[in-house]
Amino acid sequence: MKEKLQELYSRAITDIEQVNDFNSLQNVRNTYLSKKSELNGLMSKMRDLSPDERASFGQLINKIKSELTEKIENKRKEVEEKELQEKLMKEVIDFTEPNTTFKKGSKHPFNAVVDQVCEIFIGMGYNIAEGPEVELDHFNFELLNVPKDHPARDMQDTFFIDENHLMRSQTSPVQAHVMLSKNGEGPIKIISPGKVYRRDDDATHSHQFGQIEGLVIDKNVNMGNLLSTLELFARSMFGEKREVRMRSSYFPFTEPSVEADISCFECGGKGCSLCKGTGWIEILGAGMVHPHVLEMCGFDTKEYQGFAFGIGIERVGMLKYGIDDIRRFYTNDIRFNKQFDKE
């Protein structure tokens, strides 16, 4: 049996040395070291040997198994290294091939305006507040001094999901959420950028558009603070020479309410086609927060007052970049975006 064991060992060594790939090596392992291998078959015959022969034969088998296992492992490393070298030889890099460059994408003008407006107001100490786009009627209208029978709803009473939920028509509901969270304690100084929804759809309006609302509530806040805030914003956004004027207007959630214009940056206030010969361009709506709004949101109007303003993101983008149609913001035309590479 020892002669047969030595013959088996010699044959295994020869087979291992001739292996050139992993599959062949695995076949050799199965042939000589698996449970059904010839080597294990010899072990089963040890019961026919005398105790002394059985001990020495068992030691010899264990030695051979150990040596074969070691040689197969060494061969595995050798085959692995060989295949790696062959793979590296095939993956030669051609340094003469022209380099492929990937140009950085353009920032969309909508996002560029949002980022710049946020940066301006953060610099003035404002915080960013966000809220849901699917809003309750209670927050979108009622807490903003627009009850169910109010005529001001006609312009915004649009995308209802059910009798209590709608796609918000302004970002002002965020202000109501923030005021309620403060439990009547100021100060508040926030802007709330986001998407809003109304039924408009023409060259200067869209059924979906962006809005940034601002809210300041504190003691001794007045119209002078609002004017100086808007002047700083206009000059930061459109140039240092911009002037701001206010015209009386009406919004249900502010009293008094104003429309804010900036001096035309195209003609310097002399009159041109952009400003329709007036020298001024309408930019946003604003006003002092209505006392009813403050009271409904838990603030004592004898102690606190505030101002609010609403900025149309696309409106600012159209003025700043000379965009003639609001719908260009939503066409996903790469040629449109490429115009703003330097922004």
mmCIF file of all heavy atoms in Angstrom, residues 220-264:
data_model
loop_
_atom_site.group_PDB
_atom_site.id
_atom_site.type_symbol
_atom_site.label_atom_id
_atom_site.label_comp_id
_atom_site.label_asym_id
_atom_site.label_seq_id
_atom_site.Cartn_x
_atom_site.Cartn_y
_atom_site.Cartn_z
ATOM 1 N N ASN A 220 -40.772 97.233 17.333
ATOM 2 C CA ASN A 220 -40.359 98.492 16.692
ATOM 3 C C ASN A 220 -39.936 98.326 15.230
ATOM 4 O O ASN A 220 -39.112 99.089 14.730
ATOM 5 C CB ASN A 220 -39.215 99.145 17.474
ATOM 6 C CG ASN A 220 -39.574 99.411 18.920
ATOM 7 O OD1 ASN A 220 -40.682 99.878 19.204
ATOM 8 N ND2 ASN A 220 -38.679 99.088 19.846
ATOM 9 N N VAL A 221 -40.469 97.330 14.526
ATOM 10 C CA VAL A 221 -40.220 97.195 13.087
ATOM 11 C C VAL A 221 -41.162 98.136 12.350
ATOM 12 O O VAL A 221 -42.341 98.251 12.682
ATOM 13 C CB VAL A 221 -40.455 95.742 12.632
ATOM 14 C CG1 VAL A 221 -40.361 95.622 11.118
ATOM 15 C CG2 VAL A 221 -39.458 94.814 13.290
ATOM 16 N N ASN A 222 -40.656 98.806 11.299
ATOM 17 C CA ASN A 222 -41.483 99.778 10.595
ATOM 18 C C ASN A 222 -41.214 99.767 9.093
ATOM 19 O O ASN A 222 -40.358 99.015 8.600
ATOM 20 C CB ASN A 222 -41.251 101.185 11.165
ATOM 21 C CG ASN A 222 -39.774 101.575 11.152
ATOM 22 O OD1 ASN A 222 -39.109 101.487 10.125
ATOM 23 N ND2 ASN A 222 -39.254 101.993 12.313
ATOM 24 N N MET A 223 -41.939 100.630 8.356
ATOM 25 C CA MET A 223 -41.809 100.699 6.898
ATOM 26 C C MET A 223 -40.415 101.152 6.481
ATOM 27 O O MET A 223 -39.916 100.783 5.414
ATOM 28 C CB MET A 223 -42.852 101.659 6.329
ATOM 29 C CG MET A 223 -44.268 101.112 6.330
ATOM 30 S SD MET A 223 -44.533 99.768 5.139
ATOM 31 C CE MET A 223 -44.506 100.671 3.598
ATOM 32 N N GLY A 224 -39.764 101.937 7.311
ATOM 33 C CA GLY A 224 -38.401 102.369 6.999
ATOM 34 C C GLY A 224 -37.448 101.182 6.943
ATOM 35 O O GLY A 224 -36.564 101.121 6.085
ATOM 36 N N ASN A 225 -37.632 100.225 7.862
ATOM 37 C CA ASN A 225 -36.817 99.007 7.842
ATOM 38 C C ASN A 225 -37.064 98.212 6.563
ATOM 39 O O ASN A 225 -36.139 97.655 5.960
ATOM 40 C CB ASN A 225 -37.139 98.125 9.039
ATOM 41 C CG ASN A 225 -36.913 98.820 10.366
ATOM 42 O OD1 ASN A 225 -37.754 98.759 11.258
ATOM 43 N ND2 ASN A 225 -35.785 99.505 10.526
ATOM 44 N N LEU A 226 -38.335 98.146 6.138
ATOM 45 C CA LEU A 226 -38.665 97.442 4.899
ATOM 46 C C LEU A 226 -38.006 98.109 3.703
ATOM 47 O O LEU A 226 -37.391 97.427 2.859
ATOM 48 C CB LEU A 226 -40.182 97.414 4.712
ATOM 49 C CG LEU A 226 -40.703 96.864 3.376
ATOM 50 C CD1 LEU A 226 -40.247 95.439 3.149
ATOM 51 C CD2 LEU A 226 -42.230 96.969 3.320
ATOM 52 N N LEU A 227 -38.099 99.425 3.606
ATOM 53 C CA LEU A 227 -37.510 100.142 2.473
ATOM 54 C C LEU A 227 -36.008 99.950 2.416
ATOM 55 O O LEU A 227 -35.448 99.657 1.345
ATOM 56 C CB LEU A 227 -37.845 101.637 2.558
ATOM 57 C CG LEU A 227 -37.241 102.518 1.458
ATOM 58 C CD1 LEU A 227 -37.708 102.075 0.083
ATOM 59 C CD2 LEU A 227 -37.587 103.992 1.700
ATOM 60 N N SER A 228 -35.322 100.075 3.535
ATOM 61 C CA SER A 228 -33.864 99.920 3.540
ATOM 62 C C SER A 228 -33.464 98.490 3.189
ATOM 63 O O SER A 228 -32.452 98.260 2.512
ATOM 64 C CB SER A 228 -33.285 100.323 4.902
ATOM 65 O OG SER A 228 -33.818 99.514 5.936
ATOM 66 N N THR A 229 -34.278 97.501 3.623
ATOM 67 C CA THR A 229 -33.999 96.104 3.282
ATOM 68 C C THR A 229 -34.114 95.882 1.780
ATOM 69 O O THR A 229 -33.249 95.243 1.166
ATOM 70 C CB THR A 229 -34.981 95.166 4.013
ATOM 71 O OG1 THR A 229 -34.794 95.301 5.422
ATOM 72 C CG2 THR A 229 -34.752 93.711 3.611
ATOM 73 N N LEU A 230 -35.181 96.411 1.174
ATOM 74 C CA LEU A 230 -35.391 96.236 -0.264
ATOM 75 C C LEU A 230 -34.339 96.983 -1.079
ATOM 76 O O LEU A 230 -33.915 96.522 -2.140
ATOM 77 C CB LEU A 230 -36.797 96.694 -0.649
ATOM 78 C CG LEU A 230 -37.948 95.902 -0.008
ATOM 79 C CD1 LEU A 230 -39.290 96.412 -0.505
ATOM 80 C CD2 LEU A 230 -37.809 94.419 -0.283
ATOM 81 N N GLU A 231 -33.908 98.157 -0.601
ATOM 82 C CA GLU A 231 -32.848 98.898 -1.304
ATOM 83 C C GLU A 231 -31.546 98.114 -1.293
ATOM 84 O O GLU A 231 -30.849 98.028 -2.310
ATOM 85 C CB GLU A 231 -32.652 100.267 -0.649
ATOM 86 C CG GLU A 231 -33.742 101.263 -0.983
ATOM 87 C CD GLU A 231 -33.521 102.603 -0.297
ATOM 88 O OE1 GLU A 231 -32.744 102.648 0.701
ATOM 89 O OE2 GLU A 231 -34.134 103.599 -0.726
ATOM 90 N N LEU A 232 -31.214 97.523 -0.155
ATOM 91 C CA LEU A 232 -29.990 96.730 -0.064
ATOM 92 C C LEU A 232 -30.069 95.510 -0.974
ATOM 93 O O LEU A 232 -29.105 95.168 -1.664
ATOM 94 C CB LEU A 232 -29.748 96.303 1.388
ATOM 95 C CG LEU A 232 -28.483 95.475 1.652
ATOM 96 C CD1 LEU A 232 -27.241 96.189 1.143
ATOM 97 C CD2 LEU A 232 -28.357 95.170 3.142
ATOM 98 N N PHE A 233 -31.233 94.861 -1.006
ATOM 99 C CA PHE A 233 -31.405 93.718 -1.897
ATOM 100 C C PHE A 233 -31.265 94.134 -3.360
ATOM 101 O O PHE A 233 -30.553 93.478 -4.135
ATOM 102 C CB PHE A 233 -32.784 93.082 -1.669
ATOM 103 C CG PHE A 233 -33.220 92.191 -2.796
ATOM 104 C CD1 PHE A 233 -32.586 90.982 -3.030
ATOM 105 C CD2 PHE A 233 -34.253 92.577 -3.649
ATOM 106 C CE1 PHE A 233 -32.980 90.159 -4.092
ATOM 107 C CE2 PHE A 233 -34.652 91.765 -4.698
ATOM 108 C CZ PHE A 233 -34.018 90.556 -4.920
ATOM 109 N N ALA A 234 -31.945 95.219 -3.756
ATOM 110 C CA ALA A 234 -31.917 95.650 -5.161
ATOM 111 C C ALA A 234 -30.504 96.017 -5.600
ATOM 112 O O ALA A 234 -30.081 95.673 -6.716
ATOM 113 C CB ALA A 234 -32.854 96.842 -5.351
ATOM 114 N N ARG A 235 -29.767 96.684 -4.765
ATOM 115 C CA ARG A 235 -28.408 97.085 -5.138
ATOM 116 C C ARG A 235 -27.464 95.893 -5.178
ATOM 117 O O ARG A 235 -26.550 95.852 -6.000
ATOM 118 C CB ARG A 235 -27.911 98.159 -4.176
ATOM 119 C CG ARG A 235 -28.629 99.490 -4.361
ATOM 120 C CD ARG A 235 -28.388 100.473 -3.242
ATOM 121 N NE ARG A 235 -29.182 101.686 -3.452
ATOM 122 C CZ ARG A 235 -29.372 102.628 -2.539
ATOM 123 N NH1 ARG A 235 -28.835 102.484 -1.323
ATOM 124 N NH2 ARG A 235 -30.103 103.694 -2.812
ATOM 125 N N SER A 236 -27.676 94.938 -4.284
ATOM 126 C CA SER A 236 -26.838 93.737 -4.295
ATOM 127 C C SER A 236 -27.142 92.872 -5.512
ATOM 128 O O SER A 236 -26.241 92.233 -6.069
ATOM 129 C CB SER A 236 -27.070 92.923 -3.019
ATOM 130 O OG SER A 236 -26.758 93.657 -1.869
ATOM 131 N N MET A 237 -28.396 92.853 -5.940
ATOM 132 C CA MET A 237 -28.818 91.979 -7.031
ATOM 133 C C MET A 237 -28.623 92.619 -8.400
ATOM 134 O O MET A 237 -28.215 91.944 -9.355
ATOM 135 C CB MET A 237 -30.299 91.611 -6.844
ATOM 136 C CG MET A 237 -30.742 90.427 -7.684
ATOM 137 S SD MET A 237 -30.117 88.887 -6.986
ATOM 138 C CE MET A 237 -30.566 87.705 -8.258
ATOM 139 N N PHE A 238 -28.906 93.944 -8.503
ATOM 140 C CA PHE A 238 -28.937 94.578 -9.823
ATOM 141 C C PHE A 238 -27.929 95.708 -10.006
ATOM 142 O O PHE A 238 -27.855 96.287 -11.090
ATOM 143 C CB PHE A 238 -30.340 95.130 -10.095
ATOM 144 C CG PHE A 238 -31.401 94.065 -10.154
ATOM 145 C CD1 PHE A 238 -32.256 93.869 -9.080
ATOM 146 C CD2 PHE A 238 -31.540 93.270 -11.267
ATOM 147 C CE1 PHE A 238 -33.242 92.894 -9.133
ATOM 148 C CE2 PHE A 238 -32.529 92.290 -11.331
ATOM 149 C CZ PHE A 238 -33.372 92.104 -10.257
ATOM 150 N N GLY A 239 -27.154 96.028 -8.985
ATOM 151 C CA GLY A 239 -26.154 97.074 -9.134
ATOM 152 C C GLY A 239 -26.290 98.160 -8.094
ATOM 153 O O GLY A 239 -27.399 98.461 -7.603
ATOM 154 N N GLU A 240 -25.175 98.807 -7.771
ATOM 155 C CA GLU A 240 -25.129 99.775 -6.676
ATOM 156 C C GLU A 240 -25.953 101.036 -6.931
ATOM 157 O O GLU A 240 -26.320 101.741 -5.995
ATOM 158 C CB GLU A 240 -23.676 100.165 -6.392
ATOM 159 C CG GLU A 240 -22.867 99.081 -5.701
ATOM 160 C CD GLU A 240 -23.406 98.773 -4.313
ATOM 161 O OE1 GLU A 240 -23.889 99.700 -3.638
ATOM 162 O OE2 GLU A 240 -23.371 97.600 -3.920
ATOM 163 N N LYS A 241 -26.260 101.350 -8.182
ATOM 164 C CA LYS A 241 -26.974 102.597 -8.494
ATOM 165 C C LYS A 241 -28.495 102.440 -8.463
ATOM 166 O O LYS A 241 -29.223 103.371 -8.784
ATOM 167 C CB LYS A 241 -26.546 103.117 -9.865
ATOM 168 C CG LYS A 241 -25.075 103.533 -9.914
ATOM 169 C CD LYS A 241 -24.713 104.084 -11.284
ATOM 170 C CE LYS A 241 -23.241 104.510 -11.318
ATOM 171 N NZ LYS A 241 -22.863 105.070 -12.640
ATOM 172 N N ARG A 242 -28.970 101.273 -8.112
ATOM 173 C CA ARG A 242 -30.415 101.049 -8.132
ATOM 174 C C ARG A 242 -31.113 101.806 -7.006
ATOM 175 O O ARG A 242 -30.633 101.871 -5.877
ATOM 176 C CB ARG A 242 -30.732 99.557 -7.986
ATOM 177 C CG ARG A 242 -30.167 98.666 -9.065
ATOM 178 C CD ARG A 242 -30.878 98.759 -10.386
ATOM 179 N NE ARG A 242 -30.743 100.011 -11.082
ATOM 180 C CZ ARG A 242 -29.636 100.386 -11.737
ATOM 181 N NH1 ARG A 242 -28.572 99.632 -11.764
ATOM 182 N NH2 ARG A 242 -29.605 101.543 -12.366
ATOM 183 N N GLU A 243 -32.240 102.387 -7.349
ATOM 184 C CA GLU A 243 -33.110 103.045 -6.386
ATOM 185 C C GLU A 243 -34.408 102.251 -6.279
ATOM 186 O O GLU A 243 -34.807 101.552 -7.211
ATOM 187 C CB GLU A 243 -33.415 104.488 -6.812
ATOM 188 C CG GLU A 243 -32.193 105.389 -6.904
ATOM 189 C CD GLU A 243 -31.562 105.645 -5.547
ATOM 190 O OE1 GLU A 243 -32.301 105.568 -4.534
ATOM 191 O OE2 GLU A 243 -30.352 105.915 -5.499
ATOM 192 N N VAL A 244 -35.071 102.353 -5.139
ATOM 193 C CA VAL A 244 -36.326 101.643 -4.913
ATOM 194 C C VAL A 244 -37.425 102.652 -4.599
ATOM 195 O O VAL A 244 -37.217 103.597 -3.833
ATOM 196 C CB VAL A 244 -36.191 100.635 -3.743
ATOM 197 C CG1 VAL A 244 -37.552 100.007 -3.425
ATOM 198 C CG2 VAL A 244 -35.188 99.542 -4.087
ATOM 199 N N ARG A 245 -38.565 102.485 -5.227
ATOM 200 C CA ARG A 245 -39.734 103.302 -4.871
ATOM 201 C C ARG A 245 -40.893 102.365 -4.524
ATOM 202 O O ARG A 245 -40.971 101.244 -5.011
ATOM 203 C CB ARG A 245 -40.130 104.233 -6.010
ATOM 204 C CG ARG A 245 -40.816 103.548 -7.174
ATOM 205 C CD ARG A 245 -41.356 104.551 -8.181
ATOM 206 N NE ARG A 245 -42.110 103.856 -9.245
ATOM 207 C CZ ARG A 245 -42.662 104.465 -10.291
ATOM 208 N NH1 ARG A 245 -42.536 105.779 -10.431
ATOM 209 N NH2 ARG A 245 -43.325 103.767 -11.195
ATOM 210 N N MET A 246 -41.789 102.858 -3.684
ATOM 211 C CA MET A 246 -42.936 102.061 -3.268
ATOM 212 C C MET A 246 -44.213 102.737 -3.744
ATOM 213 O O MET A 246 -44.365 103.964 -3.634
ATOM 214 C CB MET A 246 -42.957 101.897 -1.751
ATOM 215 C CG MET A 246 -41.815 101.064 -1.205
ATOM 216 S SD MET A 246 -41.991 100.806 0.569
ATOM 217 C CE MET A 246 -40.562 99.786 0.916
ATOM 218 N N ARG A 247 -45.138 101.929 -4.248
ATOM 219 C CA ARG A 247 -46.448 102.398 -4.667
ATOM 220 C C ARG A 247 -47.512 101.695 -3.849
ATOM 221 O O ARG A 247 -47.414 100.494 -3.582
ATOM 222 C CB ARG A 247 -46.672 102.098 -6.156
ATOM 223 C CG ARG A 247 -45.758 102.859 -7.095
ATOM 224 C CD ARG A 247 -46.005 102.447 -8.541
ATOM 225 N NE ARG A 247 -45.488 101.109 -8.845
ATOM 226 C CZ ARG A 247 -46.246 100.043 -9.014
ATOM 227 N NH1 ARG A 247 -47.578 100.133 -8.902
ATOM 228 N NH2 ARG A 247 -45.711 98.864 -9.298
ATOM 229 N N SER A 248 -48.503 102.416 -3.453
ATOM 230 C CA SER A 248 -49.576 101.833 -2.651
ATOM 231 C C SER A 248 -50.257 100.710 -3.419
ATOM 232 O O SER A 248 -50.494 100.811 -4.629
ATOM 233 C CB SER A 248 -50.591 102.921 -2.298
ATOM 234 O OG SER A 248 -51.648 102.371 -1.543
ATOM 235 N N SER A 249 -50.568 99.625 -2.709
ATOM 236 C CA SER A 249 -51.207 98.477 -3.342
ATOM 237 C C SER A 249 -52.100 97.795 -2.311
ATOM 238 O O SER A 249 -52.379 98.363 -1.242
ATOM 239 C CB SER A 249 -50.144 97.515 -3.881
ATOM 240 O OG SER A 249 -50.732 96.464 -4.613
ATOM 241 N N TYR A 250 -52.536 96.583 -2.647
ATOM 242 C CA TYR A 250 -53.385 95.845 -1.714
ATOM 243 C C TYR A 250 -53.011 94.362 -1.713
ATOM 244 O O TYR A 250 -52.919 93.724 -2.770
ATOM 245 C CB TYR A 250 -54.868 95.964 -2.083
ATOM 246 C CG TYR A 250 -55.717 95.002 -1.284
ATOM 247 C CD1 TYR A 250 -56.019 95.256 0.053
ATOM 248 C CD2 TYR A 250 -56.178 93.820 -1.852
ATOM 249 C CE1 TYR A 250 -56.769 94.362 0.800
ATOM 250 C CE2 TYR A 250 -56.927 92.905 -1.119
ATOM 251 C CZ TYR A 250 -57.211 93.188 0.212
ATOM 252 O OH TYR A 250 -57.929 92.292 0.963
ATOM 253 N N PHE A 251 -52.767 93.840 -0.516
ATOM 254 C CA PHE A 251 -52.643 92.393 -0.283
ATOM 255 C C PHE A 251 -53.403 92.111 1.006
ATOM 256 O O PHE A 251 -53.314 92.894 1.968
ATOM 257 C CB PHE A 251 -51.182 91.969 -0.134
ATOM 258 C CG PHE A 251 -50.326 92.289 -1.319
ATOM 259 C CD1 PHE A 251 -49.380 93.303 -1.260
ATOM 260 C CD2 PHE A 251 -50.478 91.590 -2.509
ATOM 261 C CE1 PHE A 251 -48.596 93.609 -2.351
ATOM 262 C CE2 PHE A 251 -49.699 91.895 -3.614
ATOM 263 C CZ PHE A 251 -48.748 92.905 -3.542
ATOM 264 N N PRO A 252 -54.165 91.029 1.060
ATOM 265 C CA PRO A 252 -54.977 90.768 2.250
ATOM 266 C C PRO A 252 -54.179 90.548 3.515
ATOM 267 O O PRO A 252 -54.675 90.766 4.629
ATOM 268 C CB PRO A 252 -55.766 89.498 1.900
ATOM 269 C CG PRO A 252 -55.382 89.111 0.525
ATOM 270 C CD PRO A 252 -54.340 90.035 0.019
ATOM 271 N N PHE A 253 -52.905 90.103 3.369
ATOM 272 C CA PHE A 253 -52.131 89.736 4.564
ATOM 273 C C PHE A 253 -51.157 90.826 5.002
ATOM 274 O O PHE A 253 -50.387 90.623 5.934
ATOM 275 C CB PHE A 253 -51.367 88.427 4.320
ATOM 276 C CG PHE A 253 -50.899 88.235 2.902
ATOM 277 C CD1 PHE A 253 -49.755 88.829 2.441
ATOM 278 C CD2 PHE A 253 -51.660 87.475 2.024
ATOM 279 C CE1 PHE A 253 -49.337 88.661 1.140
ATOM 280 C CE2 PHE A 253 -51.256 87.294 0.719
ATOM 281 C CZ PHE A 253 -50.083 87.896 0.260
ATOM 282 N N THR A 254 -51.154 91.981 4.332
ATOM 283 C CA THR A 254 -50.319 93.108 4.766
ATOM 284 C C THR A 254 -51.160 94.385 4.795
ATOM 285 O O THR A 254 -52.096 94.550 4.023
ATOM 286 C CB THR A 254 -49.113 93.322 3.824
ATOM 287 O OG1 THR A 254 -49.576 93.424 2.468
ATOM 288 C CG2 THR A 254 -48.118 92.189 3.939
ATOM 289 N N GLU A 255 -50.815 95.300 5.701
ATOM 290 C CA GLU A 255 -51.524 96.572 5.821
ATOM 291 C C GLU A 255 -50.624 97.572 6.557
ATOM 292 O O GLU A 255 -50.334 97.374 7.751
ATOM 293 C CB GLU A 255 -52.837 96.370 6.579
ATOM 294 C CG GLU A 255 -53.643 97.634 6.782
ATOM 295 C CD GLU A 255 -54.083 98.263 5.467
ATOM 296 O OE1 GLU A 255 -54.437 97.538 4.533
ATOM 297 O OE2 GLU A 255 -54.044 99.509 5.402
ATOM 298 N N PRO A 256 -50.113 98.623 5.886
ATOM 299 C CA PRO A 256 -50.334 98.945 4.476
ATOM 300 C C PRO A 256 -49.555 98.007 3.552
ATOM 301 O O PRO A 256 -48.591 97.373 3.964
ATOM 302 C CB PRO A 256 -49.824 100.379 4.367
ATOM 303 C CG PRO A 256 -48.780 100.466 5.427
ATOM 304 C CD PRO A 256 -49.277 99.611 6.567
ATOM 305 N N SER A 257 -49.981 97.954 2.276
ATOM 306 C CA SER A 257 -49.339 97.121 1.262
ATOM 307 C C SER A 257 -48.752 97.994 0.174
ATOM 308 O O SER A 257 -49.294 99.070 -0.134
ATOM 309 C CB SER A 257 -50.355 96.150 0.635
ATOM 310 O OG SER A 257 -50.954 95.340 1.612
ATOM 311 N N VAL A 258 -47.640 97.529 -0.403
ATOM 312 C CA VAL A 258 -46.979 98.313 -1.444
ATOM 313 C C VAL A 258 -46.473 97.401 -2.558
ATOM 314 O O VAL A 258 -46.239 96.208 -2.355
ATOM 315 C CB VAL A 258 -45.776 99.109 -0.882
ATOM 316 C CG1 VAL A 258 -46.229 100.150 0.117
ATOM 317 C CG2 VAL A 258 -44.743 98.173 -0.264
ATOM 318 N N GLU A 259 -46.340 97.969 -3.746
ATOM 319 C CA GLU A 259 -45.578 97.360 -4.829
ATOM 320 C C GLU A 259 -44.238 98.081 -4.865
ATOM 321 O O GLU A 259 -44.191 99.318 -4.783
ATOM 322 C CB GLU A 259 -46.292 97.529 -6.172
ATOM 323 C CG GLU A 259 -47.639 96.846 -6.268
ATOM 324 C CD GLU A 259 -47.528 95.370 -6.588
ATOM 325 O OE1 GLU A 259 -46.395 94.879 -6.769
ATOM 326 O OE2 GLU A 259 -48.586 94.716 -6.645
ATOM 327 N N ALA A 260 -43.160 97.341 -4.983
ATOM 328 C CA ALA A 260 -41.829 97.935 -4.997
ATOM 329 C C ALA A 260 -41.276 97.904 -6.419
ATOM 330 O O ALA A 260 -41.318 96.874 -7.095
ATOM 331 C CB ALA A 260 -40.897 97.199 -4.051
ATOM 332 N N ASP A 261 -40.783 99.042 -6.889
ATOM 333 C CA ASP A 261 -40.133 99.159 -8.191
ATOM 334 C C ASP A 261 -38.668 99.492 -7.982
ATOM 335 O O ASP A 261 -38.290 100.133 -6.987
ATOM 336 C CB ASP A 261 -40.778 100.279 -9.026
ATOM 337 C CG ASP A 261 -42.269 100.077 -9.233
ATOM 338 O OD1 ASP A 261 -42.686 98.909 -9.252
ATOM 339 O OD2 ASP A 261 -42.991 101.074 -9.363
ATOM 340 N N ILE A 262 -37.833 99.086 -8.936
ATOM 341 C CA ILE A 262 -36.437 99.501 -8.922
ATOM 342 C C ILE A 262 -36.171 100.342 -10.164
ATOM 343 O O ILE A 262 -36.825 100.170 -11.198
ATOM 344 C CB ILE A 262 -35.461 98.303 -8.881
ATOM 345 C CG1 ILE A 262 -35.616 97.420 -10.123
ATOM 346 C CG2 ILE A 262 -35.652 97.501 -7.620
ATOM 347 C CD1 ILE A 262 -34.524 96.376 -10.257
ATOM 348 N N SER A 263 -35.227 101.271 -10.052
ATOM 349 C CA SER A 263 -34.865 102.084 -11.206
ATOM 350 C C SER A 263 -34.281 101.183 -12.289
ATOM 351 O O SER A 263 -33.548 100.247 -12.002
ATOM 352 C CB SER A 263 -33.861 103.164 -10.803
ATOM 353 O OG SER A 263 -32.720 102.595 -10.194
ATOM 354 N N CYS A 264 -34.645 101.449 -13.530
ATOM 355 C CA CYS A 264 -34.266 100.583 -14.647
ATOM 356 C C CYS A 264 -32.745 100.523 -14.796
ATOM 357 O O CYS A 264 -32.079 101.562 -14.899
ATOM 358 C CB CYS A 264 -34.903 101.092 -15.936
ATOM 359 S SG CYS A 264 -34.536 100.070 -17.381
#
